[in-house]
Amino acid sequence: MPTIRILGYRIGVPRHWLPRMTLGGSMVAGGLLGFLPVLGYWMVPVGLAILAVDFPPVRRFQRRLTVRLGTWLHRRWPRLAVRFGYGRAREARRG
């Protein structure tokens, strides 16, 4: 069963690509209506994480965003970065 990781938690998603894409697309669409009471803006990143299982461009976008977030967290709040599962900060590359 495919899984996605969000803030250190593993969440199972449907096995077949059609319900997975439907779920991901509806989460993103619902997240854009985040001002409504039941829906929220939190649905956009979760929907993108679900879509990233099947779409390489979304997967690359998610990976870049994750790396940037981890780098930013390590600079500002290293303990929080470790708590969210980013591990310890690495040394800067020297080139």
Side-chain angles (χ1 to χ4, degrees):
M1 171 180 254
T3 60
I4 59 173
R5 286 187 49 154
I6 297 176
L7 297 177
Y9 294 101
R10 288 182 184 241
I11 301 168
V13 294
R15 291 177 191 248
H16 196 266
W17 64 271
L18 186 60
R20 197 167 45 231
M21 288 189 4
T22 304
L23 177 64
S26 62
M27 293 282 280
V28 171
L32 296 177
L33 301 172
F35 57 88
L36 296 173
V38 177
L39 307 173
Y41 295 113
W42 60 269
M43 295 172 74
V44 174
V46 174
L48 287 175
I50 293 171
L51 287 174
V53 173
D54 294 316
F55 289 118
V58 178
R59 194 172 338 164
R60 285 189 291 270
F61 173 74
Q62 179 193 17
R63 180 66 184 151
R64 269 189 239 121
L65 193 64
T66 303
V67 169
R68 285 182 185 168
L69 177 66
T71 304
W72 181 76
L73 275 175
H74 274 297
R75 273 193 235 129
R76 304 227 28 199
W77 299 292
R79 286 178 148 170
L80 190 63
V82 171
R83 186 170 182 192
F84 281 152
Y86 285 105
R88 288 184 286 175
R90 294 181 181 178
E91 295 292 324
R93 289 186 184 181
R94 296 180 185 155

